[in-house]
Amino acid sequence: MRRLTLSLLTFVASCAMVTSTSCTEPVAPAEGEGEGEGEGEGEGEGEGEGEGEGEGEGEEPLPPPPFAISTKGAVAWKRQRALESDLMTALVLAKGEVCNELGQFSCIDFVHQVPLGGNDPFVKSQYEPLAIPTVTTPIAVERVVLSACVARVTKDIDAAPVVFTTLDLGASAVSDEEADATITALFRRLLMRDPEAHELAELRGLTDDEGTAVPPRDFAIASCFAIGTMVEGLFY
Amino acid sequence: MPSFNRRRLLQSLGAAAVASSTVSSRRARAQASADQKLLFVVAAAGGGSLIDSFLPITDPGNSSIVSYPAGFIAESNGFRCVHSPVPINLGGFSVNGHLLPFLQRHGRDMLVMTQESTSVNHIIAQKRSLTGAGVHGGKTILEAQAMRHGEGLLLPNVNMCESGYLEPGDDPSVPDSARAVAVADALLFPFATDGFRGIRGAPSRSLLERARRARRTLDRTSAHGFTFRDASMEKSYLQARETLTPQIEAQDLITKLTAVANVPGAIPLNDFGLDSSPDGAAVRARFPDLLTDPLEAQAALAFLLARHKVSCAMSIAPSFNPLLDGGLRNTPLAFDFSHSNHVLTQYAMWSRILKVTDGLITLLKAQDWDDADPSQGKMWDRSVVYIATDFGRDKTRPPGSFEFGSGHHLNNGNVIISPLLRGGRAYGGVDTATGLTFGFNPVTGDPAPGTLMHEGDVYSALAHALDIDFNGRTALPALLRS
């Protein structure tokens, strides 16, 4: 028994240390299947629309992961204060500018405080915050980030741009060069790194809507929203 | 016929959202139509005392037991209740009683069940009032209800309470879907049901949906995404984002759950592309102060969640903070202000709780369960309202006094209103010499001095009404409708 435990530990340790695909390769195909399974299979069969294609539908098979998979998976949730602070820093916004529902109710301090991981012991007698995100947390995150992105773009249109300096926000289309520069700037501001080539390519697609050019203003908001709500920026 | 690629069509999150929501909706309605039941917990936070509401003792004269003169006790539908013929004065504010009107309207569906709890610590007692002191493996009755009747619902268990009433149960086997969604502000909760709507200046939904799809790819291919693909917290988050969010948005809950009306300048819904619920007018008629009274707003949201088959377990509670709005609507510390002024606090807070409960039940009685099939009856036909409370209050007072403070006491009881149980009577009784409640025969329902029921028995009564079976459930045939 001890020997078996030891060998398992050795295997896990070697997987964690190796950055090649040797240990993780067999896991790779499960990514596409795993994510598509719940929606595709269940609904397809239930409504007779599946035709046996449901599983993994909508997901191209991924290449083998070039990184080792964390065996502990111990991530921390970036809760409401840190989220607000990071958005303020990244998008150069004041506290009151980040997100206000109906233009008056603070998303961070009030409306979405609980699903974003906060709690109010004084007014609401909530003595503990949620241990983990709740089902409405993703929506709350999206509203906060989208509001902050809209606020930043609006300010950059109304005055000398601060964040979207490489875009002509009044133009009718976005060039690839402008898109790449904007995406790179947003990655650096929101995720503290440069985008990979495939990430640039993916987001560059937001400049075009089935042959119609997306206005730079909308591209700026959409790309800001996509990058700002990536799980990479919400869990660490 | 326009040519389209089916794969691409299904790749469209919008299409998937519509499809999945339709399926979900159908599943929910199929499930709901069969045997679904509804649980509403109204928490009498701070200690609502039964001998100060529906089991009052008549004062024989200068008694040192908490009791009331005969002129302050009324009768209706087989119950007695504390009732002041004139509005009472609490801290300079006038309070109209609502116990007697409540009995007159709902007494036949109401039962009182005596019990003695196991803690006089607020937070512990509050939690035990929902877990039955652990009788069902630690599950709260709300979690058990969500597990039993929540399949196919988007947010089966919504908890708007505070403190111990907000705490999750202790059973780790409760699935995430049955755990409570905590709602801090009922009026603004609908904003948490759509990622985009109501954000002025946002680009088109179609572009933002494309941004979501791009993000999904980025999340799956980033170094972080690979490294933490098995992190349970992230997986859970992504599951909610990719599966539940589209379903929630497709139900247009941001409209259906918005009880408040468009109020230019104050609540400018229309300026932000939003609107009030189609049920808003009916809800506001019952809860006219929902803009200023959080308890009314909670009750309104509870009704709308059930009405639109979003949830089956909803809980509401008055705040521990005072509410001064044309009168003392909510005492500081809710029922626990009895420490300072027992009689008036109990009367004011019972009236407050029952007035809101009355509004909720009235809405449930008026609303068909299925708009398309009135033969399925009203929402009320499958509802249980449980007035939970922490514990009772002291049974003694300075002889004959009406101005005294009371401490916490284990001995008390609960009120349940439901057409699913045999209402119109009190189960158990009160020893007028001590003010202590005693139990009842679970088969006949007859009073049984010398016996006591406990939190687990109340939990069992609720479980019977809600078709929740578990090992250790107390058999209570006396409470069941034949």
Side-chain angles (χ1 to χ4, degrees), chain A residues 33-121:
Chain A
E33 294 171 10
E35 293 203 10
E37 200 168 1
E39 291 175 53
E41 190 176 35
E43 289 154 21
E45 290 178 7
E47 294 300 296
E49 297 170 354
E51 297 172 12
E53 296 179 26
E55 196 167 27
E57 189 138 30
E59 302 288 358
E60 295 298 332
L62 287 174
F67 304 96
I69 297 171
S70 169
T71 54
K72 292 182 179 175
V75 294
W77 176 16
K78 186 194 286 183
R79 293 171 185 265
Q80 93 285 12
R81 287 275 165 253
L83 178 67
E84 178 187 51
S85 176
D86 283 0
L87 287 172
M88 288 166 58
T89 303
L91 300 177
V92 196
L93 293 170
K95 178 175 169 59
E97 296 174 324
V98 174
C99 177
N100 297 289
E101 297 293 7
L102 295 179
Q104 53 189 312
F105 304 110
S106 168
C107 299
I108 300 289
D109 297 337
F110 187 47
V111 183
H112 303 301
Q113 182 190 46
V114 171
L116 291 175
N119 63 308
D120 182 350

Side-chain angles (χ1 to χ4, degrees), chain A residues 122-125, chain B residues 45 162 294-295 298 317-322 330-335 349 352:
Chain A
F122 300 111
V123 176
K124 300 287 185 184
S125 300
Chain B
E162 303 179 355
L295 187 61
Q298 291 176 7
S319 171
F320 260 31
N321 290 305
N330 198 75
T331 56
L333 303 176
F335 279 90
M349 285 306 299
R352 171 163 170 67

Side-chain angles (χ1 to χ4, degrees), chain B residues 51-218:
Chain B
I51 64 169
D52 295 282
S53 52
F54 297 113
L55 293 176
I57 299 169
T58 305
D59 187 357
N62 215 29
S63 173
S64 61
I65 299 299
V66 174
S67 52
Y68 293 83
F72 283 82
I73 296 177
E75 293 188 26
S76 178
N77 278 322
F79 287 98
R80 302 164 75 240
C81 71
V82 177
H83 175 68
S84 172
V86 295
I88 63 166
N89 184 292
L90 180 61
F93 298 109
S94 178
V95 175
N96 287 305
H98 209 83
L99 285 78
L100 181 59
F102 188 86
L103 272 187
Q104 291 167 336
R105 291 168 62 85
H106 310 295
R108 272 175 287 188
D109 285 334
M110 182 180 113
L111 65 87
V112 168
M113 184 174 170
T114 60
Q115 60 104 350
E116 189 162 288
S117 58
T118 54
S119 175
V120 286
N121 174 292
H122 282 292
I123 297 175
I124 293 172
Q126 289 168 355
K127 181 169 177 175
R128 287 182 184 172
S129 74
L130 297 183
T131 63
V135 70
H136 189 188
K139 296 179 191 67
T140 68
I141 189 66
L142 295 149
E143 290 168 347
Q145 159 73 359
M147 290 174 70
R148 172 66 182 81
H149 294 286
E151 186 181 348
L153 303 186
L154 291 172
L155 308 170
N157 180 0
V158 173
N159 192 323
M160 296 173 248
C161 296
E162 303 179 355
S163 196
Y165 292 114
L166 184 57
E167 288 202 8
D170 298 317
D171 184 347
S173 73
V174 172
D176 286 348
S177 60
R179 294 188 180 277
V181 171
V183 172
D185 188 281
L187 273 188
L188 298 172
F189 173 71
F191 286 102
T193 61
D194 195 293
F196 312 142
R197 286 188 56 194
I199 297 177
R200 205 152 45 183
S204 69
R205 188 164 200 107
S206 64
L207 179 62
L208 290 171
E209 293 290 6
R210 290 178 58 220
R212 276 179 168 172
R213 290 199 294 279
R215 175 191 63 191
R216 186 181 188 191
T217 301
L218 299 184

